Amino acid sequence: MQKRFPILAMTAALVLLMPSVARAASGTFDRTLHVSGTLMLTVHTGSGYIHVTPGPAGVVHIVGHVQANGWTFGPSLEDRIQHVVNNPPIEQAGNTITIGGHQDWLNNVSVDYEITAPRGTQLDAGTGSGDLRLSDLDSSLRASTGSGDIQASGFTGHVELRSGSGDIHADLQSANDVNAHSGSGKIVVSGINGGVFAETGSGNIEITGRPADGWQLGRGFGDVTLNTGNEG
C-alpha cells in the first residue's frame, strides 16, 4: 500500500503559501486646525488626489478619504484603515502644518485629500500618483505629481509645477517666476508677469503673459505658442 502522507503534507503547505484574495476597504477622517498668521502648508500623499481651495481666515479644514487594497497578510485592511483614520498623518507646529509627513501604516494605503486653507497660504503639494487641483490661495506654489495632471489657478510670486506624466494647466495672477516641467504632457500657463522656464518631453507648450524677465521654453516633440499681450 502506497503512503500518501507526503503528498497530503505538500498540498497543505501549498494552501498555506497561497495568498489570500485581494480586498479593498475605505474610511474617512475630518480635522479642523487653527493658525494665527501666514500658513506654511505641506501636503504629500503616495497615491491619491489633492484638492486645495480657499477657506476662512485662520482655519484649516482637512478631509482625508482613506483606501486600502492588497492581500490580507498581517494587519487586516480594516485595521490599517482604522489606524489611519484614528491617527491621521497631520502635524502642526504653530503656523506650519505638514500632512502625510509620517508614513507608518500607509503600506498599500492611499489617501485623497480635500483641504480648505486661508488665502495667502504658502503651499507645497505633491502626490506620487494622482491629480492636483489647487486654487485661489493668492500665494506662491510648489506642486508635483509623478503620474497625474496639475490644475492650478489664482497663485502668484514663485510657482513651480512638475508632472512626470500628465498635463499642466495654470491660470496665475501676475506670477513673476514660473517653472513648469512635464515629462510627457501638455503645458498651458497664463498670468505670467516675469520670467518662465517651461519644458516638456512630448507635448505642446502654450504660454501667455508679459515677458518682464527671461523666458526659456523647450520641448522634445510638440508645438510652442506664445501670447505676449497685456496679460496681468
Side-chain angles (χ1 to χ4, degrees), residues 29-196:
F29 61 81
D30 188 318
R31 296 290 188 274
T32 299
L33 306 177
H34 298 274
V35 294
S36 59
T38 300
L39 171 63
M40 307 293 291
L41 176 61
T42 300
V43 189
H44 281 214
T45 183
S47 174
Y49 66 72
I50 299 174
H51 297 171
V52 182
T53 55
V59 179
V60 183
H61 185 217
I62 306 159
V63 177
H65 303 285
V66 188
Q67 302 91 33
N69 295 278
W71 309 106
T72 57
F73 293 131
S76 69
L77 298 183
E78 290 78 8
D79 286 344
R80 281 185 278 163
I81 292 291
Q82 197 58 47
H83 184 88
V84 177
V85 168
N86 293 340
N87 303 276
I90 301 171
E91 299 175 351
Q92 180 176 12
N95 293 324
T96 299
I97 295 176
T98 302
I99 302 173
H102 59 84
Q103 301 295 319
D104 295 345
W105 282 70
L106 292 187
N107 186 30
N108 293 326
V109 174
S110 64
V111 184
D112 296 324
Y113 289 104
E114 297 179 4
I115 301 169
T116 60
R119 293 182 185 274
T121 294
Q122 308 292 306
L123 178 61
D124 181 345
T127 176
S129 175
D131 294 339
L132 303 179
R133 291 206 323 235
L134 318 167
S135 63
D136 301 325
L137 293 185
D138 304 332
S139 62
S140 63
L141 170 65
R142 182 179 181 183
S144 64
T145 176
S147 175
D149 296 336
I150 298 175
Q151 296 183 22
S153 63
F155 290 89
T156 189
H158 176 71
V159 175
E160 182 176 342
L161 310 166
R162 302 184 69 86
S163 176
S165 174
D167 295 336
I168 295 173
H169 292 264
D171 183 12
L172 307 175
Q173 290 186 344
S174 295
N176 59 18
D177 183 14
V178 178
N179 187 312
H181 175 86
S182 177
S184 174
K186 177 171 57 177
I187 296 176
V188 180
V189 181
S190 63
I192 298 170
N193 189 4
V196 59

